[in-house]
Amino acid sequence: PTAEKEVKSDLAFEFIAKEERFEIAEDKIEAEYDRIAKEYSMELDAVKKAVSVDSVKTGLSIEAAKELVYSTAVSEEKSENAEEAAEE
């Protein structure tokens, strides 16, 4: 069940990323390449050859979609809690 939930949530975030059409700045793409290079102890040029710009953009777009969903959920939860407190 956990793997199934992960796949479903990944697909949902991919869909949101496509719908939102996030603009990914070049500096964020470069920063992601740097992060990958450090994480895998690889040369930056080797990472750029192995990982396409489109893949990096897709990954960053999905992360942006997650941030959007989580920030919206937290904001709405806080708003609902404030409304409930005001009613009491």
Side-chain angles (χ1 to χ4, degrees):
T2 303
E4 183 179 336
K5 284 182 182 179
E6 283 184 36
V7 169
K8 286 181 180 179
S9 66
D10 286 350
L11 291 172
F13 288 126
E14 282 183 45
F15 177 79
I16 292 167
K18 285 180 184 175
E19 289 295 308
E20 290 294 325
R21 298 182 185 168
F22 295 108
E23 294 291 324
I24 307 299
E26 287 298 317
D27 62 328
K28 293 204 180 248
I29 294 168
E30 286 301 315
E32 183 64 5
Y33 274 127
D34 288 337
R35 185 195 67 75
I36 294 167
K38 288 177 184 168
E39 184 175 330
Y40 293 98
S41 301
M42 294 174 66
E43 293 292 323
L44 185 58
D45 288 339
V47 172
K48 287 183 176 184
K49 286 179 183 175
V51 182
S52 72
V53 173
D54 285 340
S55 292
V56 172
K57 284 183 178 180
T58 298
L60 291 172
S61 292
I62 290 169
E63 288 304 312
K66 288 178 181 180
E67 289 175 21
L68 175 67
V69 169
Y70 295 145
S71 67
T72 303
V74 170
S75 296
E76 288 181 10
E77 183 178 305
K78 286 181 182 178
S79 177
E80 287 175 6
N81 289 342
E83 288 175 13
E84 288 174 6
E87 290 174 2
E88 291 177 358

